[in-house]
Amino acid sequence: MEVIEEKNIREALKIAKGNILKAAEMLNLSRATIYRKIKKYNISVKELLSQIETK
């Protein structure tokens, strides 16, 4: 279940182009919750953005 959650967060961040608040809204999460989950899964928003830009 956690693997799916992490994948969904990463995908939402990609779609929102790194905008954490937009990604939280897409996933129906609060700001605090998405920040906590980003930290939990060790997600680097900058790294995600650089992957998007290089494609």
Side-chain angles (χ1 to χ4, degrees):
M1 198 69 167
E2 287 184 348
V3 173
I4 295 168
E5 182 176 61
E6 179 182 357
K7 183 178 177 183
N8 287 340
I9 292 170
R10 288 181 183 277
E11 194 61 35
L13 286 167
K14 287 179 185 177
I15 292 168
K17 298 180 181 168
N19 186 321
I20 296 172
L21 295 180
K22 279 187 180 180
E25 287 176 7
M26 290 168 50
L27 296 168
N28 199 26
L29 298 173
S30 70
R31 183 178 67 87
T33 299
I34 197 164
Y35 275 103
R36 187 174 59 249
K37 290 180 185 277
I38 287 170
K39 184 176 181 179
K40 175 182 178 181
Y41 297 122
N42 200 24
I43 298 172
S44 171
V45 177
K46 289 181 183 179
E47 189 176 302
L48 281 175
L49 289 176
S50 68
Q51 291 174 358
I52 294 169
E53 292 172 358
T54 57
K55 289 184 178 182

